[in-house]
Amino acid sequence: MTTKNITLQVNDQRAQGSVDIQEFSEKMRFKRGMLALALGLTLTAASVFIPVLHFFLVPLGLIITASISISRFKTAALIISGEGSCPICNARFRIMKRKSAFPFSDICEGCSRSVVIEILP
Ligand SMILES: [Zn+2]
C-alpha cells in the first residue's frame, strides 16, 4: 500500500490531502478475478435448483459473474481510503474505497459541493 498526495479543488480554490492506494500485481489481479469467477459460478450453479426462478437466475448469474470478474481482472489499483479538507467549508473530507482513476469528483459532506480530486505528481 502506498500513500499519495492529492489536491481537492472547487473552482480555483485548492486544499491538500492524501490517499492510500493498494496496487495489484498481474498475479494478484488474476487471483482476484478467479475468486470472483469461482464464487459467482458456485452461486449460479446453486440457483439451478430453485424451481421456475432458475430460468432468470442462471442467465443473470452468468452475466453478473462475467462482468464482476472481468472488472476485477482489469482493476490495477484501488483507493483504500483518503482524507483531506474541503477547500470551501474546511470540513473534513473523507474518500471512500473506490477504483483508482484520477481525476474524479466527490461531494463534500459539509457543504454538498462537488470537489474534484487530482493526484499530485
Ligand atoms: Zn465543503
Side-chain angles (χ1 to χ4, degrees):
M1 190 145 66
T2 56
T3 301
K4 290 186 176 166
N5 291 323
I6 53 167
T7 56
L8 297 94
Q9 186 173 357
V10 177
N11 300 325
D12 41 342
Q13 291 194 283
R14 292 165 185 263
Q16 304 287 312
S18 65
V19 285
D20 292 326
I21 296 179
Q22 170 86 61
E23 286 169 348
F24 299 112
S25 64
E26 198 91 345
K27 196 177 164 190
M28 280 288 292
R29 287 164 58 177
F30 183 73
K31 240 185 194 174
R32 283 169 41 89
M34 287 309 282
L35 185 69
L37 191 67
L39 191 66
L41 289 180
T42 305
L43 289 174
T44 303
S47 71
V48 166
F49 301 105
I50 301 171
V52 185
L53 287 179
H54 71 253
F55 290 114
F56 309 103
L57 291 177
V58 173
L60 196 66
L62 290 174
I63 292 167
I64 291 171
T65 299
S67 62
I68 289 176
S69 36
I70 288 169
S71 161
R72 286 174 69 104
F73 276 124
K74 283 183 176 174
T75 303
L78 279 180
I79 296 171
I80 302 300
S81 67
E83 228 180 30
S85 58
C86 175
I88 302 293
C89 70
N90 229 15
R92 185 166 163 250
F93 195 93
R94 291 180 301 161
I95 297 164
M96 301 298 163
K97 189 173 179 179
R98 63 184 299 152
K99 263 186 191 173
S100 178
F102 290 95
F104 64 90
S105 64
D106 208 345
I107 304 291
C108 172
E109 291 169 35
C111 62
S112 302
R113 282 192 173 86
S114 180
V115 179
V116 176
I117 293 125
E118 282 180 273
I119 200 156
L120 288 176

